Protein backbone atom coordinates (compact mmCIF):
# COMPACT_ATOMS: atom_id res chain seq x y z
CA UNK A 1 0.00 0.00 0.00
CA UNK A 2 1.35 3.40 -0.97
CA UNK A 3 0.00 5.06 2.16
CA UNK A 4 -0.84 4.41 5.79
CA UNK A 5 -4.33 5.48 6.93
CA UNK A 6 -4.39 7.83 9.92
CA UNK A 7 -7.50 8.41 12.01
CA UNK A 8 -7.31 11.49 14.22
CA UNK A 9 -9.67 11.94 17.16
CA UNK A 10 -11.49 14.79 15.47
CA UNK A 11 -11.85 12.67 12.32
CA UNK A 12 -13.45 9.89 14.34
CA UNK A 13 -15.87 12.21 16.10
CA UNK A 14 -16.75 13.92 12.83
CA UNK A 15 -17.56 10.59 11.20
CA UNK A 16 -19.63 9.60 14.24
CA UNK A 17 -21.63 12.80 13.79
CA UNK A 18 -22.15 12.05 10.10
CA UNK A 19 -23.30 8.52 10.93
CA UNK A 20 -25.67 9.94 13.54
CA UNK A 21 -27.04 12.39 10.98
CA UNK A 22 -27.58 9.53 8.50
CA UNK A 23 -29.40 7.51 11.17
CA UNK A 24 -31.49 10.57 12.02
CA UNK A 25 -32.59 10.81 8.38
CA UNK A 26 -34.08 7.29 8.54
CA UNK A 27 -35.70 8.10 11.88
CA UNK A 28 -37.27 11.26 10.48
CA UNK A 29 -38.61 9.39 7.47
CA UNK A 30 -40.46 7.01 9.83
CA UNK A 31 -41.83 9.82 12.02
CA UNK A 32 -44.63 11.82 10.41
CA UNK A 33 -44.49 14.96 12.63
CA UNK A 34 -40.73 15.27 12.15
CA UNK A 35 -41.03 14.57 8.45
CA UNK A 36 -43.62 17.32 8.11
CA UNK A 37 -41.40 19.77 10.04
CA UNK A 38 -38.43 19.09 7.77
CA UNK A 39 -40.71 19.34 4.76
CA UNK A 40 -41.45 22.90 5.89
CA UNK A 41 -37.70 23.54 5.83
CA UNK A 42 -37.51 22.16 2.31
CA UNK A 43 -40.37 24.35 1.08
CA UNK A 44 -38.44 27.53 1.92
CA UNK A 45 -36.07 28.67 -0.87
CA UNK A 46 -33.70 30.16 1.71
CA UNK A 47 -33.54 26.84 3.55
CA UNK A 48 -32.76 24.81 0.43
CA UNK A 49 -30.16 27.31 -0.79
CA UNK A 50 -28.46 27.42 2.62
CA UNK A 51 -28.54 23.63 2.90
CA UNK A 52 -26.86 23.33 -0.52
CA UNK A 53 -24.06 25.69 0.52
CA UNK A 54 -23.58 23.88 3.83
CA UNK A 55 -23.45 20.55 1.99
CA UNK A 56 -20.63 21.91 -0.18
CA UNK A 57 -18.69 22.96 2.93
CA UNK A 58 -19.32 19.56 4.54
CA UNK A 59 -17.96 17.84 1.42
CA UNK A 60 -14.74 19.84 1.70
CA UNK A 61 -14.53 19.05 5.41
CA UNK A 62 -15.03 15.30 4.88
CA UNK A 63 -12.34 15.18 2.18
CA UNK A 64 -9.99 16.97 4.57
CA UNK A 65 -10.79 14.46 7.33
CA UNK A 66 -9.56 11.40 5.41
CA UNK A 67 -5.94 11.42 6.55
CA UNK A 68 -2.98 9.26 5.61
CA UNK A 69 0.81 9.14 5.73
CA UNK A 70 2.42 8.72 2.29
CA UNK A 71 4.94 5.97 1.65
CA UNK A 72 8.54 7.11 1.48
CA UNK A 73 10.72 6.00 -1.45
CA UNK A 74 12.72 2.85 -0.83
CA UNK A 75 16.32 3.34 0.21
CA UNK A 76 18.88 1.51 -1.90
CA UNK A 77 20.60 -1.28 -0.01
CA UNK A 78 24.34 -0.88 0.62
CA UNK A 79 26.67 -2.48 -1.86
CA UNK A 80 27.24 -6.12 -0.96
CA UNK A 81 24.30 -6.25 1.45
CA UNK A 82 22.36 -9.51 1.49
CA UNK A 83 18.73 -9.91 2.49
CA UNK A 84 15.31 -8.64 1.70
CA UNK A 85 14.29 -5.04 1.74
CA UNK A 86 13.18 -3.73 5.15
CA UNK A 87 9.64 -2.81 6.11
CA UNK A 88 8.00 0.13 4.33
CA UNK A 89 8.68 3.53 5.81
CA UNK A 90 6.01 6.21 5.92
CA UNK A 91 6.41 9.95 6.12
CA UNK A 92 5.82 11.76 9.39
CA UNK A 93 3.77 14.31 7.44
CA UNK A 94 0.04 13.59 7.67
CA UNK A 95 -1.90 14.54 4.52
CA UNK A 96 -5.55 14.30 3.59
CA UNK A 97 -7.52 13.46 0.47
CA UNK A 98 -8.13 17.19 0.06
CA UNK A 99 -4.36 17.75 0.08
CA UNK A 100 -4.03 15.21 -2.72
CA UNK A 101 -6.82 16.88 -4.72
CA UNK A 102 -5.26 20.31 -4.16
CA UNK A 103 -1.69 19.13 -4.76
CA UNK A 104 -0.96 21.85 -7.38
CA UNK A 105 -2.01 24.54 -4.91
CA UNK A 106 -0.18 22.95 -1.98
CA UNK A 107 3.11 22.30 -3.78
CA UNK A 108 3.37 25.36 -6.01
CA UNK A 109 4.66 27.83 -3.45
CA UNK A 110 6.32 31.13 -4.21
CA UNK A 111 9.00 33.07 -2.37
CA UNK A 112 6.65 35.48 -0.63
CA UNK A 113 3.58 37.64 -1.30
CA UNK A 114 1.94 37.79 -4.70
CA UNK A 115 -1.40 39.40 -5.55
CA UNK A 116 -4.34 37.45 -7.01
CA UNK A 117 -3.70 36.42 -10.64
CA UNK A 118 -0.30 38.14 -10.52
CA UNK A 119 2.73 37.02 -12.49
CA UNK A 120 5.25 38.96 -10.37
CA UNK A 121 6.07 39.13 -6.69
CA UNK A 122 4.43 41.92 -4.71
CA UNK A 123 7.67 43.53 -3.60
CA UNK A 124 10.82 44.63 -5.38
CA UNK A 125 14.03 42.64 -5.10
CA UNK A 126 17.55 42.94 -6.41
CA UNK A 127 17.73 40.89 -9.60
CA UNK A 128 20.20 40.28 -12.40
CA UNK A 129 19.38 42.40 -15.45
CA UNK A 130 19.40 40.78 -18.92
CA UNK A 131 22.14 43.11 -20.17
CA UNK A 132 24.32 42.53 -17.13
CA UNK A 133 24.45 44.24 -13.78
CA UNK A 134 21.80 44.39 -11.05
CA UNK A 135 18.64 46.36 -10.46
CA UNK A 136 15.53 46.62 -8.30
CA UNK A 137 12.45 45.15 -9.92
CA UNK A 138 9.57 42.75 -9.35
CA UNK A 139 10.80 39.18 -9.98
CA UNK A 140 8.60 36.85 -11.97
CA UNK A 141 6.76 34.13 -10.06
CA UNK A 142 7.98 30.56 -10.24
CA UNK A 143 4.51 29.07 -10.83
CA UNK A 144 1.95 31.86 -11.24
CA UNK A 145 1.32 32.53 -14.96
CA UNK A 146 4.56 30.70 -15.76
CA UNK A 147 2.93 29.15 -18.86
CA UNK A 148 2.68 32.56 -20.56
CA UNK A 149 5.48 33.89 -22.72
CA UNK A 150 4.39 37.52 -22.36
CA UNK A 151 2.05 37.83 -19.34
CA UNK A 152 1.35 41.52 -19.95
CA UNK A 153 -0.07 40.85 -23.41
CA UNK A 154 -1.42 37.31 -23.02
CA UNK A 155 -2.89 37.15 -19.51
CA UNK A 156 -6.23 38.79 -20.29
CA UNK A 157 -7.03 36.52 -23.21
CA UNK A 158 -5.84 33.43 -21.34
CA UNK A 159 -8.02 34.22 -18.33
CA UNK A 160 -11.07 34.85 -20.51
CA UNK A 161 -10.60 31.61 -22.42
CA UNK A 162 -10.20 29.54 -19.27
CA UNK A 163 -13.13 31.20 -17.50
CA UNK A 164 -15.36 30.40 -20.48
CA UNK A 165 -14.10 26.80 -20.47
CA UNK A 166 -14.89 26.54 -16.75
CA UNK A 167 -18.38 27.93 -17.26
CA UNK A 168 -18.96 25.38 -20.02
CA UNK A 169 -17.94 22.54 -17.72
CA UNK A 170 -20.15 23.94 -14.95
CA UNK A 171 -23.11 24.11 -17.33
CA UNK A 172 -22.58 20.49 -18.38
CA UNK A 173 -22.39 19.35 -14.72
CA UNK A 174 -25.49 21.38 -13.84
CA UNK A 175 -27.49 19.91 -16.74
CA UNK A 176 -26.49 16.39 -15.68
CA UNK A 177 -27.58 17.13 -12.12
CA UNK A 178 -30.84 18.64 -13.36
CA UNK A 179 -31.62 15.52 -15.42
CA UNK A 180 -30.92 13.23 -12.46
CA UNK A 181 -33.06 15.34 -10.12
CA UNK A 182 -35.90 15.58 -12.63
CA UNK A 183 -35.82 11.81 -13.06
CA UNK A 184 -36.03 11.24 -9.31
CA UNK A 185 -38.94 13.70 -8.95
CA UNK A 186 -40.68 12.27 -12.03
CA UNK A 187 -40.78 8.70 -10.69
CA UNK A 188 -44.07 8.04 -8.97
CA UNK A 189 -45.39 11.56 -9.58
CA UNK A 190 -47.89 10.55 -12.25
CA UNK A 191 -46.90 13.53 -14.40
CA UNK A 192 -45.11 13.71 -17.73
CA UNK A 193 -41.42 14.43 -18.07
CA UNK A 194 -42.07 17.82 -19.65
CA UNK A 195 -44.44 18.79 -16.83
CA UNK A 196 -41.81 17.91 -14.22
CA UNK A 197 -39.14 19.93 -16.02
CA UNK A 198 -41.48 22.90 -16.30
CA UNK A 199 -42.42 22.60 -12.62
CA UNK A 200 -38.77 22.52 -11.54
CA UNK A 201 -37.89 25.54 -13.64
CA UNK A 202 -40.95 27.49 -12.47
CA UNK A 203 -40.50 26.57 -8.80
CA UNK A 204 -43.86 24.78 -8.49
CA UNK A 205 -42.52 21.65 -6.78
CA UNK A 206 -43.32 20.62 -3.20
CA UNK A 207 -39.73 21.31 -2.15
CA UNK A 208 -37.87 24.41 -3.30
CA UNK A 209 -35.68 22.55 -5.78
CA UNK A 210 -35.29 25.59 -8.01
CA UNK A 211 -33.45 27.49 -5.25
CA UNK A 212 -31.20 24.50 -4.70
CA UNK A 213 -30.47 24.20 -8.42
CA UNK A 214 -29.64 27.90 -8.76
CA UNK A 215 -27.30 27.71 -5.77
CA UNK A 216 -25.75 24.53 -7.10
CA UNK A 217 -25.18 26.21 -10.45
CA UNK A 218 -23.27 29.04 -8.78
CA UNK A 219 -21.18 26.53 -6.83
CA UNK A 220 -20.43 24.54 -9.99
CA UNK A 221 -19.40 27.74 -11.79
CA UNK A 222 -17.01 28.81 -9.02
CA UNK A 223 -15.51 25.32 -8.67
CA UNK A 224 -15.09 24.82 -12.42
CA UNK A 225 -13.43 28.21 -12.88
CA UNK A 226 -11.05 27.47 -9.99
CA UNK A 227 -10.24 24.06 -11.50
CA UNK A 228 -9.29 25.79 -14.75
CA UNK A 229 -7.32 28.64 -13.20
CA UNK A 230 -5.87 27.44 -9.87
CA UNK A 231 -3.17 25.12 -11.32
CA UNK A 232 -1.82 28.02 -13.42
CA UNK A 233 -2.54 31.13 -11.33
CA UNK A 234 -2.72 31.97 -7.66
CA UNK A 235 -6.40 32.85 -7.75
CA UNK A 236 -6.39 34.45 -4.29
CA UNK A 237 -2.70 35.30 -4.18
CA UNK A 238 -0.04 33.97 -1.80
CA UNK A 239 0.87 34.75 1.80
CA UNK A 240 4.12 35.75 3.47
CA UNK A 241 5.79 32.36 2.93
CA UNK A 242 4.39 31.93 -0.59
CA UNK A 243 1.55 29.53 0.22
CA UNK A 244 -1.53 29.70 -1.97
CA UNK A 245 -4.29 31.55 -0.09
CA UNK A 246 -7.07 29.57 -1.81
CA UNK A 247 -5.51 26.37 -0.47
CA UNK A 248 -5.33 27.85 3.05
CA UNK A 249 -8.97 28.98 2.89
CA UNK A 250 -10.20 25.54 1.82
CA UNK A 251 -8.11 23.87 4.53
CA UNK A 252 -9.69 26.20 7.11
CA UNK A 253 -13.16 24.82 6.38
CA UNK A 254 -12.54 21.58 8.27
CA UNK A 255 -11.37 23.42 11.37
CA UNK A 256 -14.53 25.56 11.35
CA UNK A 257 -16.76 22.50 10.92
CA UNK A 258 -14.96 20.60 13.70
CA UNK A 259 -15.31 23.53 16.09
CA UNK A 260 -18.96 24.03 15.19
CA UNK A 261 -20.08 20.40 15.32
CA UNK A 262 -17.94 18.59 17.90
CA UNK A 263 -18.44 21.42 20.39
CA UNK A 264 -22.20 20.94 20.13
CA UNK A 265 -21.67 17.20 20.68
CA UNK A 266 -19.89 18.04 23.94
CA UNK A 267 -22.34 20.75 24.96
CA UNK A 268 -25.62 18.94 24.34
CA UNK A 269 -25.43 16.25 27.09
CA UNK A 270 -24.61 18.84 29.76
CA UNK A 271 -27.34 21.22 28.64
CA UNK A 272 -30.09 18.63 28.14
CA UNK A 273 -29.44 16.59 31.28
CA UNK A 274 -28.93 19.50 33.68
CA UNK A 275 -31.60 21.75 32.17
CA UNK A 276 -34.34 19.11 32.26
CA UNK A 277 -33.30 17.86 35.71
CA UNK A 278 -33.36 21.38 37.15
CA UNK A 279 -36.76 22.18 35.66
CA UNK A 280 -38.52 18.90 36.52
CA UNK A 281 -37.03 17.93 39.86
CA UNK A 282 -36.73 21.42 41.34
CA UNK A 283 -35.61 21.78 44.93
CA UNK A 284 -31.93 21.40 45.71
CA UNK A 285 -31.22 20.01 42.20
CA UNK A 286 -32.56 23.21 40.65
CA UNK A 287 -30.56 25.33 43.12
CA UNK A 288 -27.35 23.40 42.41
CA UNK A 289 -27.69 23.63 38.62
CA UNK A 290 -28.54 27.32 38.77
CA UNK A 291 -25.55 27.93 41.03
CA UNK A 292 -23.21 26.15 38.58
CA UNK A 293 -24.30 28.02 35.45
CA UNK A 294 -24.53 31.33 37.32
CA UNK A 295 -20.92 30.96 38.43
CA UNK A 296 -19.82 30.03 34.89
CA UNK A 297 -21.64 33.01 33.43
CA UNK A 298 -20.10 35.33 36.03
CA UNK A 299 -16.58 34.47 34.83
CA UNK A 300 -15.56 36.25 31.58
CA UNK A 301 -15.71 33.61 28.90
CA UNK A 302 -12.45 34.54 27.18
CA UNK A 303 -10.53 34.39 30.45
CA UNK A 304 -11.98 31.01 31.38
CA UNK A 305 -11.24 29.56 27.93
CA UNK A 306 -7.75 31.08 27.91
CA UNK A 307 -6.90 29.54 31.28
CA UNK A 308 -8.19 26.11 30.22
CA UNK A 309 -6.38 26.22 26.86
CA UNK A 310 -3.09 27.26 28.46
CA UNK A 311 -3.32 24.45 31.04
CA UNK A 312 -4.07 21.94 28.29
CA UNK A 313 -1.13 23.26 26.26
CA UNK A 314 1.17 22.67 29.24
CA UNK A 315 -0.04 19.07 29.42
CA UNK A 316 0.59 18.58 25.69
CA UNK A 317 4.06 20.16 25.87
CA UNK A 318 5.12 18.01 28.83
CA UNK A 319 4.02 14.75 27.20
CA UNK A 320 5.48 14.73 23.67
CA UNK A 321 5.63 10.93 23.72
CA UNK A 322 1.85 10.81 23.36
CA UNK A 323 2.02 12.02 19.75
CA UNK A 324 3.78 10.34 16.81
CA UNK A 325 3.30 13.25 14.41
CA UNK A 326 2.83 16.99 14.54
CA UNK A 327 -0.69 16.53 13.12
CA UNK A 328 -1.70 14.43 16.13
CA UNK A 329 -0.33 17.08 18.47
CA UNK A 330 -2.27 19.85 16.70
CA UNK A 331 -5.38 17.67 16.65
CA UNK A 332 -5.11 17.17 20.41
CA UNK A 333 -5.23 20.92 20.99
CA UNK A 334 -8.12 21.29 18.54
CA UNK A 335 -10.05 18.57 20.36
CA UNK A 336 -9.24 20.15 23.71
CA UNK A 337 -10.54 23.50 22.44
CA UNK A 338 -13.80 21.82 21.36
CA UNK A 339 -14.26 20.30 24.82
CA UNK A 340 -13.42 23.58 26.55
CA UNK A 341 -15.87 25.55 24.39
CA UNK A 342 -18.53 22.88 24.95
CA UNK A 343 -18.11 22.82 28.71
CA UNK A 344 -18.26 26.61 28.94
CA UNK A 345 -21.13 27.21 26.49
CA UNK A 346 -23.89 24.85 27.68
CA UNK A 347 -25.40 27.29 30.15
CA UNK A 348 -27.61 29.21 27.71
CA UNK A 349 -29.33 26.08 26.36
CA UNK A 350 -29.68 24.64 29.87
CA UNK A 351 -31.48 27.80 31.02
CA UNK A 352 -33.90 27.57 28.09
CA UNK A 353 -34.62 23.89 28.74
CA UNK A 354 -35.15 24.54 32.45
CA UNK A 355 -37.78 27.19 31.71
CA UNK A 356 -39.58 24.98 29.18
CA UNK A 357 -39.52 21.98 31.54
CA UNK A 358 -41.01 24.09 34.37
CA UNK A 359 -43.98 24.70 32.06
CA UNK A 360 -44.29 21.13 30.79
CA UNK A 361 -44.30 19.48 34.21
CA UNK A 362 -47.52 21.30 35.10
CA UNK A 363 -49.44 20.08 32.04
CA UNK A 364 -52.27 17.57 32.43
CA UNK A 365 -50.68 14.58 30.74
CA UNK A 366 -47.52 14.86 32.86
CA UNK A 367 -49.61 15.21 36.03
CA UNK A 368 -51.67 12.18 34.98
CA UNK A 369 -48.53 10.11 34.41
CA UNK A 370 -47.28 11.02 37.88
CA UNK A 371 -50.68 10.18 39.40
CA UNK A 372 -50.61 6.73 37.79
CA UNK A 373 -47.21 6.07 39.36
CA UNK A 374 -45.03 6.33 36.25
CA UNK A 375 -41.41 6.60 37.34
CA UNK A 376 -39.54 9.88 36.86
CA UNK A 377 -37.02 8.54 34.25
CA UNK A 378 -39.92 7.27 32.11
CA UNK A 379 -41.74 10.60 32.32
CA UNK A 380 -38.59 12.49 31.33
CA UNK A 381 -37.95 10.12 28.43
CA UNK A 382 -41.51 9.89 27.07
CA UNK A 383 -43.09 13.27 27.83
CA UNK A 384 -40.48 15.91 28.63
CA UNK A 385 -37.56 15.19 26.29
CA UNK A 386 -39.58 14.86 23.04
CA UNK A 387 -41.34 18.17 23.77
CA UNK A 388 -38.12 20.14 24.28
CA UNK A 389 -36.21 18.71 21.32
CA UNK A 390 -37.35 21.57 19.09
CA UNK A 391 -35.50 23.96 21.42
CA UNK A 392 -32.40 21.72 21.32
CA UNK A 393 -32.52 21.56 17.52
CA UNK A 394 -32.95 25.31 17.12
CA UNK A 395 -30.23 26.15 19.66
CA UNK A 396 -27.67 23.76 18.16
CA UNK A 397 -28.16 25.00 14.61
CA UNK A 398 -28.04 28.64 15.69
CA UNK A 399 -24.97 28.11 17.91
CA UNK A 400 -22.94 26.70 15.01
CA UNK A 401 -22.19 30.09 13.47
CA UNK A 402 -21.35 31.55 16.87
CA UNK A 403 -18.81 28.81 17.50
CA UNK A 404 -17.18 29.36 14.09
CA UNK A 405 -16.79 33.03 14.91
CA UNK A 406 -15.54 32.17 18.41
CA UNK A 407 -12.71 30.09 16.95
CA UNK A 408 -11.69 32.98 14.72
CA UNK A 409 -11.62 35.40 17.65
CA UNK A 410 -9.76 33.02 19.97
CA UNK A 411 -7.14 32.16 17.34
CA UNK A 412 -6.76 35.86 16.58
CA UNK A 413 -5.80 36.56 20.21
CA UNK A 414 -3.53 33.51 20.36
CA UNK A 415 -5.57 31.13 22.56
CA UNK A 416 -7.36 29.18 19.85
CA UNK A 417 -6.09 26.33 17.72
CA UNK A 418 -2.44 25.34 17.44
CA UNK A 419 -0.45 27.80 15.27
CA UNK A 420 0.32 24.96 12.85
CA UNK A 421 -3.40 24.29 12.33
CA UNK A 422 -4.84 26.14 9.36
CA UNK A 423 -8.01 28.01 10.31
CA UNK A 424 -9.81 31.23 9.57
CA UNK A 425 -8.57 32.61 12.87
CA UNK A 426 -4.91 31.92 12.11
CA UNK A 427 -5.34 33.40 8.63
CA UNK A 428 -6.82 36.58 10.10
CA UNK A 429 -4.09 36.69 12.76
CA UNK A 430 -1.36 36.45 10.11
CA UNK A 431 -3.12 39.03 7.92
CA UNK A 432 -3.16 41.53 10.79
CA UNK A 433 0.49 42.49 10.27
CA UNK A 434 0.14 42.38 6.49
CA UNK A 435 -2.40 45.20 6.54
CA UNK A 436 0.27 47.57 7.84
CA UNK A 437 2.53 47.01 4.83
CA UNK A 438 2.93 49.51 2.06
CA UNK A 439 1.48 48.62 -0.36
CA UNK A 440 -1.13 46.83 1.74
CA UNK A 441 -1.52 43.04 1.49
CA UNK A 442 -5.29 42.64 1.65
CA UNK A 443 -6.13 39.34 -0.02
CA UNK A 444 -5.43 36.96 2.92
CA UNK A 445 -7.88 38.79 5.15
CA UNK A 446 -10.38 39.15 2.31
CA UNK A 447 -10.27 35.41 1.52
CA UNK A 448 -10.74 34.39 5.16
CA UNK A 449 -13.56 36.91 5.56
CA UNK A 450 -15.33 35.79 2.36
CA UNK A 451 -15.25 32.07 3.17
CA UNK A 452 -16.24 32.61 6.80
CA UNK A 453 -18.98 35.06 5.80
CA UNK A 454 -20.55 32.59 3.36
CA UNK A 455 -20.36 29.73 5.89
CA UNK A 456 -21.82 31.77 8.75
CA UNK A 457 -24.50 33.35 6.54
CA UNK A 458 -25.62 29.95 5.26
CA UNK A 459 -25.70 28.57 8.82
CA UNK A 460 -27.74 31.54 10.06
CA UNK A 461 -30.23 31.34 7.18
CA UNK A 462 -30.65 27.61 7.72
CA UNK A 463 -31.06 28.18 11.48
CA UNK A 464 -33.82 30.73 10.87
CA UNK A 465 -35.71 28.32 8.64
CA UNK A 466 -35.30 25.45 11.12
CA UNK A 467 -36.52 27.71 13.94
CA UNK A 468 -39.65 28.65 12.00
CA UNK A 469 -40.35 25.01 11.14
CA UNK A 470 -39.81 23.47 14.59
CA UNK A 471 -41.04 26.21 16.90
CA UNK A 472 -44.66 25.21 17.73
CA UNK A 473 -45.56 28.83 18.53
CA UNK A 474 -44.99 29.71 14.86
CA UNK A 475 -47.47 27.15 13.62
Amino acid sequence: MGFQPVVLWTDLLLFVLLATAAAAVFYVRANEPLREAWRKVGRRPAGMAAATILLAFVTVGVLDSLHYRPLLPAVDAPVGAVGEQGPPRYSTEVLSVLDAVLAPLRLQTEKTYSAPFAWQLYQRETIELPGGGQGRDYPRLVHGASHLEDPVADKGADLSRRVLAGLGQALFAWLATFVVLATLVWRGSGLGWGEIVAALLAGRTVLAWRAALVTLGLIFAIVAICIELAPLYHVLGTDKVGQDVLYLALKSVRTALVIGTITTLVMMPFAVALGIAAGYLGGWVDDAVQYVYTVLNAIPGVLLIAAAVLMMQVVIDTHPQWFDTAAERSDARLLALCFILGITSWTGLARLLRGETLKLRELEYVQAARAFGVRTPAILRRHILPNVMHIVMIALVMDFSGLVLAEAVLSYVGIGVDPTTISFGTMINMARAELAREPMVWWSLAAAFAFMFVLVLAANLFADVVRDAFDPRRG
Side-chain angles (χ1 to χ4, degrees), residues 18 51 76 85 91 140 142 184 208 218 266 275 297 302 399 474:
L18 290 176
D76 295 334
Q85 192 176 15
S91 172
R140 184 159 182 181
V142 178
L184 294 176
L218 294 175
V266 176
N297 286 335
V302 174
D399 286 346
R474 295 176 178 265

Side-chain angles (χ1 to χ4, degrees), residues 91-163:
S91 172
T92 57
E93 182 183 16
V94 177
L95 303 176
S96 68
V97 174
L98 185 67
D99 289 320
V101 173
L102 302 178
L105 280 69
R106 178 173 62 89
L107 299 176
Q108 295 180 4
T109 59
E110 306 294 344
K111 187 175 181 180
T112 183
Y113 301 110
S114 65
F117 298 104
W119 57 276
Q120 291 177 312
L121 287 179
Y122 200 60
Q123 59 187 19
R124 295 177 184 271
E125 291 185 355
T126 302
I127 60 174
E128 298 291 336
L129 299 177
Q134 295 181 338
R136 299 281 294 177
D137 200 356
Y138 299 99
R140 184 159 182 181
L141 298 179
V142 178
H143 302 288
S146 60
H147 63 293
L148 300 178
E149 291 284 342
D150 184 3
V152 176
D154 301 336
K155 190 175 75 169
D158 185 65
L159 288 174
S160 301
R161 183 173 64 255
R162 295 185 184 278
V163 167

Side-chain angles (χ1 to χ4, degrees), residues 75-421:
V75 179
D76 295 334
V79 178
V82 180
E84 296 183 357
Q85 192 176 15
R89 298 181 304 114
Y90 296 95
S91 172
T92 57
E93 182 183 16
V94 177
L95 303 176
S96 68
V97 174
L98 185 67
D99 289 320
V101 173
L102 302 178
L105 280 69
R106 178 173 62 89
L107 299 176
Q108 295 180 4
T109 59
E110 306 294 344
K111 187 175 181 180
T112 183
Y113 301 110
S114 65
F117 298 104
W119 57 276
Q120 291 177 312
L121 287 179
Y122 200 60
Q123 59 187 19
R124 295 177 184 271
E125 291 185 355
T126 302
I127 60 174
E128 298 291 336
L129 299 177
Q134 295 181 338
R136 299 281 294 177
D137 200 356
Y138 299 99
R140 184 159 182 181
L141 298 179
V142 178
H143 302 288
S146 60
H147 63 293
L148 300 178
E149 291 284 342
D150 184 3
V152 176
D154 301 336
K155 190 175 75 169
D158 185 65
L159 288 174
S160 301
R161 183 173 64 255
R162 295 185 184 278
V163 167
L164 290 176
L167 291 176
Q169 296 172 12
L171 179 61
F172 178 79
W174 186 86
L175 289 175
T177 304
F178 180 84
V179 170
V180 172
L181 178 61
T183 303
L184 294 176
V185 176
W186 171 63
R187 289 181 177 179
S189 64
L191 301 175
W193 174 265
E195 294 176 312
I196 291 295
V197 171
L200 284 174
L201 294 176
R204 297 195 305 268
T205 52
V206 175
L207 301 181
W209 289 117
R210 183 174 66 173
L213 287 170
V214 171
T215 307
L216 194 63
L218 294 175
I219 294 174
F220 280 163
I222 295 172
V223 171
I225 291 173
C226 288
I227 290 175
E228 284 289 323
L229 297 178
L232 302 173
Y233 298 92
H234 297 293
V235 177
L236 297 179
T238 57
D239 64 359
K240 184 176 182 179
V241 295
Q243 287 184 297
D244 192 276
V245 173
L246 177 60
Y247 169 75
L248 297 177
L250 291 173
K251 289 286 290 183
S252 300
V253 170
R254 177 185 179 271
T255 305
L257 293 178
V258 167
I259 291 290
T261 55
I262 295 181
T263 302
T264 60
L265 179 66
V266 176
M267 174 184 69
M268 188 170 65
F270 288 96
V272 173
L274 296 179
I276 291 178
Y280 184 80
L281 299 177
W284 67 269
V285 175
D286 188 16
D287 293 339
V289 173
Q290 288 191 72
Y291 177 78
V292 170
Y293 68 59
T294 301
V295 170
L296 284 177
N297 286 335
I299 304 173
V302 174
L303 294 180
L304 184 61
I305 294 171
V309 168
L310 292 176
M311 287 190 295
M312 182 57 64
Q313 187 61 41
V314 171
V315 174
I316 293 174
D317 291 340
T318 54
H319 297 84
Q321 69 277 9
W322 291 354
F323 314 105
D324 294 331
T325 62
E328 294 178 1
R329 176 189 175 96
S330 301
D331 185 73
R333 177 160 171 172
L334 177 60
L335 184 62
L337 181 62
C338 292
F339 274 87
I340 293 167
L341 286 173
I343 293 172
T344 57
S345 61
W346 59 270
T347 56
L349 179 56
R351 185 183 292 108
L352 290 174
L353 294 179
R354 173 185 175 273
E356 186 70 12
T357 305
L358 285 172
K359 182 183 70 175
L360 291 174
R361 75 176 185 178
E362 303 300 330
L363 297 181
E364 290 80 1
Y365 62 89
V366 176
Q367 296 288 342
R370 296 172 66 179
F372 279 106
V374 180
R375 297 175 63 85
T376 297
I379 294 176
L380 295 178
R381 185 179 66 254
R382 297 175 184 174
H383 302 301
I384 302 297
L385 184 60
N387 287 285
V388 299
M389 283 308 295
H390 69 280
I391 296 179
V392 176
M393 174 69 67
I394 295 168
L396 294 184
V397 177
M398 296 189 71
D399 286 346
F400 173 83
S401 58
L403 292 168
V404 173
L405 294 174
E407 181 277 325
V409 173
L410 293 174
S411 298
Y412 175 76
V413 298
I415 57 174
V417 298
D418 190 87
T420 60
T421 302

Side-chain angles (χ1 to χ4, degrees), residues 27-69:
Y27 177 74
V28 168
R29 293 185 64 182
N31 189 301
E32 179 58 32
L34 287 177
R35 189 165 67 246
E36 179 59 30
W38 282 107
R39 192 176 289 119
K40 291 180 182 178
V41 175
R43 292 193 188 107
R44 295 277 297 274
M48 290 293 282
T52 304
I53 295 174
L54 291 176
L55 183 60
F57 278 104
V58 169
T59 302
V60 174
V62 170
L63 292 177
D64 202 18
S65 298
L66 301 172
H67 289 101
Y68 65 94
R69 294 168 61 182

